[in-house]
Amino acid sequence: MRRIDCSMLNKVRWTGVLSSLLLSQAVWAQAAIESVVGTLQGGTEVVRVELSQPLEADPTGFVIQSPARVALDFPGTSNATGKSLVEVNQGNLRSINVVEAGGRARLVLNLKTATAYKTERQGKALLIMLDPVSAATPSKTAEARVFEAKASASDVLPIRDVDFRRGSDGAGRIVVGLNSSQVGVDLRREGKGLVIDFLRSSLPEGLRRKLDVADFGTPVQTISSAQQGDIVRMRIDPVGDWEHSAYQSDNQFVIEIRQKKVDINKLTQGPGYSGEKLSLNFQNIEVRSLLQVIADFTNFNIVTSDTVTGALTLRLKDVPWDQALQIIMDAKGLGMRKSGTVLWIAPKDEIDARIKRDYEAAREIENLEPLRTQGFQLNYAKAADILQQIATNTGGSGQSTRFLSQRGSAISEPRTNQLFVTDTPAKLEEMKALLATLDVPVRQVMIEARIVEARDTFGRSLGVKFGGGSNGNKHWNLGGSYADVAPGSSTSSPFVNLPASVPGVTGAGSLAFSIFNSAATRFLSLELSAMEADGDGKIISNPRLVTADQNKALIEQGTEYPYSMTAPNGATTVAFKKAVLKLEVTPQITPEGDIILDLDVNKDSRGEVTLQGVAIDTKHIKTQVLVENGGTVVIGGIFEIEETNQVVKVPVLGDVPVLGNLFKSNTKGSTKREMLVFITPRMLSSQLRSGN
């Protein structure tokens, strides 16, 4: 942090005063932290803090359990290290923050596991010694990206392959072939590199090597893989200012590392204002001279427009220089354009007018630039479909051409599946990049449905058959009279005939009794019958189909039944109605790898016969669900239960207690029907393709 303090008088020459101001720096009487280093000495983690002068007393501090931290306060001390974060990543110590506020400095040790500490002063240095942690287990860093393992803890699966590719945007792409999609992965930054742990995995001998990929022209320089217990550890060493992303698709884990994008119009890179701090104190200073002070301080080349005039009085203390410049420009209505290390500062209206003229000139050049025709071979998409997306006309009609210029045109050739575009060279380059994004293979999904219909029936019936008869020349009728019969024969007549009966079941067990008189000429007969039936059945339908992402698919199987219908002219015609098992689905794969399904499921069957034709018994489900890849979900079910209790009896006699059972039959029945629909979607495996 630098300070510039000036009191301007009209009689003082600006050049000499400004030169002396730029060569001077304020002298601070307070102590300053000059460096912070973390080391490992004899198994003990030691943080060495170098100060500009010895401390009079040990700093006060405190320990935080969650998150694990040790904080120490240095009163009357500033931060002269030039940075607020020191990366360590050694033992139990992750990093060290140095913060300055309110005339004091605070040192924060970010730990993996909470522990105690001791301090010791050695001249201008302060040693902070952390107590060892007996059972410290490294936790995941804030950047760690963990894919939880669902496989059995006893399974150690081998890594299949490690491949490196260069992306179309210059990114380095590391593709790791896994043996299962359930392998746990822990990704974190350590120092200047990236470390990936594949849990419960083994590394074949052929893959235990160090890859030098510097010649590919990506931020990645080397990739090394090694076996550590039941963990495969991969270390990636990039260079420069980089960022990373990682994702998993089925059995492949992909890490992409690319250079950070730099905003050329920003004075200093990073969030907010991050320039070196300065202090300014001016009375009625000309804006042009103040901008020159900023230029000398920052080593930027500043070109000031002739229209920048006026004076300014300001007092700023400990303000980043890029923020100070923004304050000055806002106060005077100025704007800025940056080109490398050159800043052009002018009134905003003048800059806007210049930008407008540049755009108008570029448009005029585009309208005069010669056109070229280029053919693009499409591999996966249809040229006619792409043509509808990139252009709504063939150019020159004033309608929107979307991605083409006003003079541009495009045609599709279906035989060779090519797209021919006529436009300016710049637009052709944009079209090439656009088609590389659109012409990609569509992921496919297999959807399996399982429709289970279960049926459980139970029936019980008790019946009676009661009658009488005679042996000899006469028999007894129900009316109490006698009738002649053939000599030596016997005849019986039922008084009550209510046998046991269960629907759909024939035959019943029975027990009969007969009572004769003393002469054995007449008798009474009693027959008791009982029946019990128990049955169950199951029907499983299993339709399955494969379709592309966001494409509707249909599969059905069944019978079409005819039925009569009357036409408007009075004639009778025959139409057909389907009784089918149908699965209609539209899948959509989400960026997280889950699958959204629009489902329409039918399970029809033949019903009763009517005068118009055969009725159709239908079961229908239509819904939308979100299912994980390979997961199973029950999208619906129907449960029916039917219970019957039937009594057939002789009036009056059947109501007599106890004896009434001889004049009636009881039948009980129960039928249970249940239908469940299970859906399982699975993404089909496909090799990841590098961008071209």
Side-chain angles (χ1 to χ4, degrees):
M1 190 276 294
R2 292 191 247 174
R3 170 171 294 182
I4 301 176
D5 246 339
C6 294
S7 178
M8 302 306 300
L9 300 175
N10 292 331
K11 296 181 180 180
V12 181
R13 296 184 61 184
W14 285 102
T15 304
V17 174
L18 293 175
S19 299
S20 62
L21 289 173
L22 291 172
L23 294 175
S24 64
Q25 295 185 358
V27 179
W28 297 87
Q30 64 181 3
I33 297 176
E34 296 179 341
S35 68
V36 179
V37 180
T39 60
L40 192 63
Q41 299 179 5
T44 302
E45 286 133 352
V46 179
V47 177
R48 185 179 183 87
V49 183
E50 295 285 350
L51 297 102
S52 60
Q53 60 188 43
L55 293 174
E56 297 179 357
D58 290 341
T60 59
F62 55 91
V63 177
I64 302 175
Q65 295 293 328
S66 180
R69 290 176 181 171
V70 173
L72 296 96
D73 287 338
F74 295 78
T77 306
S78 62
N79 178 16
T81 63
K83 51 188 176 181
S84 60
L85 177 64
V86 178
E87 292 284 354
V88 180
N89 287 320
Q90 180 176 271
N92 190 30
L93 183 59
R94 294 179 182 276
S95 60
I96 305 171
N97 291 104
V98 186
V99 184
E100 178 185 350
R104 64 174 180 173
R106 171 169 289 184
L107 207 67
V108 180
L109 310 183
N110 301 305
L111 309 177
K112 299 176 182 177
T113 304
T115 185
Y117 71 96
K118 306 182 192 68
T119 59
E120 179 182 338
R121 284 176 288 166
Q122 291 184 358
K124 294 183 180 181
L126 176 70
L127 301 182
I128 306 169
M129 293 157 286
L130 301 176
D131 290 350
V133 180
S134 58
T137 55
S139 58
K140 300 176 181 64
T141 63
E143 291 184 51
R145 184 175 178 188
V146 180
F147 298 80
E148 295 295 343
K150 299 179 182 177
S152 172
S154 61
D155 296 336
V156 177
L157 303 176
I159 300 295
R160 294 168 53 190
D161 189 25
V162 178
D163 191 15
F164 179 82
R165 304 170 187 174
R166 186 183 189 276
S168 58
D169 57 350
R173 180 179 298 173
I174 299 94
V175 181
V176 182
L178 306 176
N179 213 294
S180 170
S181 60
Q182 309 299 326
V183 174
V185 182
D186 180 8
L187 183 148
R188 62 191 181 276
R189 295 185 69 155
E190 283 190 4
K192 296 182 179 180
L194 197 65
V195 174
I196 306 100
D197 286 344
F198 298 91
L199 311 180
R200 309 296 303 171
S201 301
S202 61
L203 188 65
E205 289 292 337
L207 299 179
R208 299 185 184 184
R209 62 184 186 268
K210 185 175 183 179
L211 300 177
D212 186 353
V213 294
D215 294 339
F216 283 81
T218 71
V220 182
Q221 300 299 295
T222 59
I223 306 168
S224 56
S225 305
Q227 184 78 47
Q228 295 188 1
D230 60 351
I231 294 176
V232 174
R233 176 159 295 176
M234 176 182 293
R235 181 174 180 86
I236 303 172
D237 293 314
V239 294
D241 195 9
W242 51 274
E243 58 186 2
H244 72 277
S245 62
Y247 61 91
Q248 185 169 348
S249 176
D250 199 15
N251 292 350
Q252 288 186 319
F253 186 82
V254 182
I255 309 105
E256 292 185 349
I257 299 178
R258 56 177 55 85
Q259 293 287 354
K260 281 188 178 179
K261 294 182 179 179
V262 178
D263 187 355
I264 61 174
N265 292 318
K266 195 172 182 181
L267 295 173
T268 58
Q269 299 302 318
Y273 299 103
S274 56
E276 188 177 355
K277 293 183 179 181
L278 55 78
S279 296
L280 298 173
N281 188 358
F282 290 105
Q283 297 289 332
N284 198 27
I285 184 175
E286 291 184 2
V287 175
R288 300 173 66 88
S289 300
L290 186 56
L291 293 176
Q292 185 61 41
V293 173
I294 299 292
D296 293 338
F297 182 82
T298 61
N299 293 326
F300 267 97
N301 300 308
I302 295 182
V303 179
T304 307
S305 173
D306 294 338
T307 55
V308 176
T309 58
L312 188 65
T313 298
L314 79 163
R315 182 180 184 277
L316 302 175
K317 182 178 180 181
D318 298 343
V319 176
W321 71 263
D322 47 348
Q323 184 180 9
L325 179 58
Q326 189 65 48
I327 291 172
I328 295 169
M329 292 191 299
D330 292 342
K332 287 299 182 180
L334 303 177
M336 177 193 66
R337 292 188 68 181
K338 180 174 176 285
S339 177
T341 60
V342 179
L343 304 180
W344 175 50
I345 297 178
K348 289 183 178 179
D349 295 341
E350 182 177 339
I351 292 180
D352 294 342
R354 173 69 64 85
I355 294 174
K356 182 179 180 181
R357 289 196 301 270
D358 292 344
Y359 285 156
E360 290 175 349
R363 178 178 296 180
E364 292 178 0
I365 293 174
E366 184 179 282
N367 292 333
L368 298 174
E369 190 175 5
L371 301 180
R372 288 173 46 200
T373 300
Q374 184 174 347
F376 299 95
Q377 178 67 57
L378 302 181
N379 300 317
Y380 305 102
K382 292 183 179 179
D385 296 339
I386 295 294
L387 178 63
Q388 294 297 322
Q389 296 177 8
I390 66 172
T392 57
N393 67 342
T394 56
S397 65
Q399 299 178 1
S400 171
T401 53
R402 296 186 183 176
F403 298 100
L404 304 178
S405 67
Q406 289 296 325
R407 296 188 299 153
S409 62
I411 61 171
S412 62
E413 207 292 303
R415 292 180 306 150
T416 59
N417 198 35
Q418 292 189 76
L419 187 69
F420 293 91
V421 181
T422 301
D423 215 323
T424 62
K427 283 293 182 180
L428 291 177
E429 287 298 320
E430 294 179 8
M431 184 59 59
K432 181 180 179 181
L434 176 64
L435 293 178
T437 304
L438 296 178
D439 187 30
V440 294
V442 180
R443 290 178 291 181
Q444 294 185 328
V445 182
M446 182 179 73
I447 300 97
E448 179 180 0
R450 188 177 294 270
I451 305 172
V452 180
E453 295 179 275
R455 183 184 181 93
D456 187 2
T457 60
F458 177 79
R460 176 181 292 170
S461 178
L462 294 174
V464 63
K465 190 175 182 181
F466 180 56
S470 63
N471 281 325
N473 297 327
K474 296 182 179 295
H475 75 273
W476 184 26
N477 288 324
L478 291 176
S481 60
Y482 292 91
D484 293 332
V485 298
S489 63
S490 63
T491 304
S492 67
S493 299
F495 302 156
V496 178
N497 188 9
L498 298 173
S501 175
V502 173
V505 181
T506 59
S510 61
L511 178 64
F513 299 93
S514 296
I515 301 176
F516 292 85
N517 62 355
S518 58
T521 57
R522 289 186 293 274
F523 64 90
L524 292 175
S525 64
L526 175 63
E527 181 179 333
L528 300 178
S529 59
M531 180 179 293
E532 182 174 308
D534 190 1
D536 55 48
K538 182 183 294 185
I539 301 175
I540 299 178
S541 306
N542 188 206
R544 65 181 70 184
L545 53 82
V546 176
T547 183
D549 184 21
Q550 301 189 44
N551 279 269
K552 181 183 291 187
L554 170 68
I555 184 172
E556 63 180 14
Q557 177 190 17
T559 307
E560 292 190 0
Y561 293 99
Y563 65 96
S564 301
M565 61 180 300
T566 303
N569 59 2
T572 300
T573 60
V574 177
F576 291 86
K577 188 172 183 179
K578 294 182 178 180
V580 297
L581 168 64
K582 183 186 75 171
L583 172 62
E584 181 179 306
V585 61
T586 304
Q588 177 185 345
I589 303 175
T590 67
E592 294 79 13
D594 297 332
I595 303 173
I596 299 174
L597 299 174
D598 289 315
L599 291 162
D600 192 349
V601 182
N602 268 80
K603 180 64 172 69
D604 302 336
S605 59
R606 179 189 177 100
E608 62 182 14
V609 179
T610 66
L611 296 177
Q612 287 74 28
V614 178
I616 304 299
D617 295 335
T618 182
K619 299 178 180 67
H620 184 203
I621 295 177
K622 187 174 184 180
T623 185
Q624 183 185 81
V625 293
L626 174 64
V627 192
E628 65 178 2
N629 179 30
T632 300
V633 64
V634 181
I635 65 170
I638 300 173
F639 180 77
E640 299 177 81
I641 182 169
E642 179 183 350
E643 294 183 347
T644 59
N645 190 359
Q646 183 180 11
V647 178
V648 179
K649 60 184 178 180
V650 176
V652 181
L653 296 177
D655 296 327
V656 176
V658 182
L659 293 178
N661 294 321
L662 299 176
F663 301 94
K664 62 182 178 182
S665 68
N666 294 310
T667 302
K668 293 183 179 181
S670 175
T671 302
K672 297 178 182 179
R673 290 179 292 269
E674 184 175 10
M675 185 191 76
L676 294 174
V677 180
F678 301 84
I679 296 292
T680 303
R682 292 184 179 88
M683 282 191 295
L684 300 183
S685 300
S686 61
Q687 295 295 327
L688 295 178
R689 295 170 172 84
S690 59
N692 297 318

